[in-house]
Amino acid sequence: MDFSILPVVSTLSDCITIKQKNDIKIACIDHPKASAAVSLFGAHVLSYKPQGEEDLIWVSKNAIFDGQTAIRGGIPLCWPWFGKLASPSHGFSRIQEWKIVEHRENDQGVIVQLGLSTNETTLTMWPNQFDATLTIEVSDTLKVSLGVSNTDTKAWCFSGALHSYLNVGDILSSQVTQMGPTYIDSLLGDKVCEGGDTLKIDQEVDRVYNQPEKTVLLKDEKLNRTISITNTGHNSAVIWNPWQANSESMADMADDSYKTMLCIESTLHADSLETGYSLEPNERYILTTEISAR
Ligand code: TA6
């Protein structure tokens, strides 16, 4: 999706312009090394194009930009829980309005940091005090870091993910390596399974790989590139493609969406809200993903 053509709301710096898409403000970054787009609704990365490269990030052409619905595609920020452990699905961060708290740029690239803290709405869904930042570093690679601090007087538990939708030329001529030997298969009632090193996607897949290598590789024959995904702070890497029937049944996916996307997620997975990572008062936790193409 081309965000550069949207109407300008304001100019933040030489490289950062705020644009508007329906009800959403989008920070558009344009630097000689790469361009990128980040929605302030959800702190949701929507695009990352290194110079001369097709977008590494996929956004559904039917995505809804109404400032209430989670955007389909990009890098949804799932926090303070991953999946359907509570409502809303994947936590509230991706449906909250974030603020730009800092931005910097030089000839190496651009850094934008967004922030979100406890407010009346978050307290109705999760009774804990927090301070979260999402730092987006746009350069020869895209680095996205979620930092969460416990500003409460008690410990709280969380899980989460940087749920990247990666753009592929053709899913059937793509393959994934370095996901590790074992996975929990959500399509088989969370059965623990063993898999081979090379994963070809030719049907619906929804798996939590619990021993991934630090870097996962997505080889895309059609676009003649390999996307590299390097994660830290995670305990697993989730892989998801809804395939045809689910794409057809989701209002914000086009029928053939599944052919050009694959989610490879930097995930801190937990089985319940109570068994997530426990963060003490004044402690901070950082979950990252770094994406590049070669
Ligand atoms: O990360 C995989 C997953 O949890 C799938 O089970 C699938 O439902 C997907 O995320 C999308 O979730 P969403 O709430 O965005 O529709």
Side-chain angles (χ1 to χ4, degrees):
M1 200 173 277
D2 187 2
F3 296 95
S4 64
I5 53 170
L6 294 171
V8 175
V9 175
S10 59
T11 300
L12 227 56
S13 69
D14 287 351
C15 297
I16 309 170
T17 315
I18 306 297
K19 299 189 176 176
Q20 184 92 28
K21 182 160 178 64
N22 304 348
D23 297 316
I24 291 186
K25 293 207 167 31
I26 297 177
C28 289
I29 296 161
D30 194 10
H31 186 276
K33 284 196 179 275
S35 67
V38 184
S39 161
L40 304 194
F41 172 69
H44 199 132
V45 176
L46 298 170
S47 167
Y48 169 64
K49 283 190 230 178
Q51 201 54 256
E53 200 49 75
E54 280 209 38
D55 215 315
L56 272 61
I57 305 294
W58 181 91
V59 173
S60 171
K61 54 185 177 217
N62 294 354
I64 298 162
F65 290 87
D66 63 1
Q68 290 176 19
T69 311
I71 301 166
R72 178 68 60 196
I75 308 185
L77 175 55
C78 307
W79 193 83
W81 56 86
F82 174 77
K84 296 188 171 59
L85 300 183
S87 181
S89 167
H90 288 317
F92 53 72
S93 296
R94 63 177 180 163
I95 50 168
Q96 284 281 299
E97 191 67 26
W98 291 58
K99 286 197 165 58
I100 295 180
V101 290
E102 203 185 323
H103 61 90
R104 275 177 282 148
E105 58 201 54
N106 61 23
D107 54 4
Q108 290 310 304
V110 180
I111 299 178
V112 178
Q113 186 173 72
L114 308 182
L116 176 75
S117 310
T118 318
N119 61 48
E120 278 176 17
T121 314
T122 66
L123 284 171
T124 63
M125 293 177 271
W126 197 62
N128 300 302
Q129 301 282 337
F130 69 92
D131 186 36
T133 56
L134 192 79
T135 309
I136 301 119
E137 298 176 51
V138 177
S139 183
D140 297 324
T141 69
L142 170 71
K143 187 169 180 192
V144 181
S145 313
L146 169 67
V148 292
S149 298
N150 183 344
T151 53
D152 214 320
T153 50
K154 59 180 189 305
W156 40 250
C157 294
F158 71 97
S159 54
L162 297 162
H163 191 305
S164 310
Y165 286 70
L166 301 167
N167 185 30
V168 295
D170 172 20
I171 191 68
L172 290 171
S173 57
S174 303
Q175 64 181 42
V176 185
T177 52
Q178 308 193 170
M179 292 293 287
T182 53
Y183 62 88
I184 301 162
D185 198 327
S186 310
L187 303 179
L188 297 175
D190 287 345
K191 185 176 170 200
V192 179
C193 304
E194 287 186 15
D197 185 55
T198 302
L199 181 60
K200 285 200 161 261
I201 316 291
D202 55 9
Q203 57 186 309
E204 182 183 3
V205 62
D206 191 355
R207 299 177 179 176
V208 180
Y209 279 80
N210 49 12
Q211 300 177 68
E213 304 222 3
K214 196 175 167 201
T215 298
V216 173
L217 298 174
L218 169 59
K219 189 170 175 208
D220 179 342
E221 269 176 33
K222 185 150 183 211
L223 294 182
N224 192 24
R225 70 182 183 188
T226 296
I227 297 183
S228 153
I229 307 107
T230 300
N231 301 330
T232 66
H234 59 311
N235 63 9
S236 53
V238 168
I239 191 157
W240 181 59
N241 184 303
W243 218 249
Q244 188 165 359
N246 290 321
S247 293
E248 287 171 2
S249 71
M250 292 162 84
D252 56 2
M253 295 278 264
D255 291 356
D256 60 356
S257 284
Y258 70 98
K259 291 181 180 171
T260 55
M261 54 73 64
L262 182 65
C263 290
I264 300 180
E265 310 163 28
S266 176
T267 314
L268 191 60
H269 181 259
D271 294 329
S272 67
L273 283 184
E274 297 73 28
T275 54
Y277 188 91
S278 176
L279 201 67
E280 296 294 326
N282 300 317
E283 265 191 345
R284 186 165 170 79
Y285 194 91
I286 296 177
L287 176 70
T288 75
T289 192
E290 186 167 6
I291 299 171
S292 60
R294 60 172 188 249

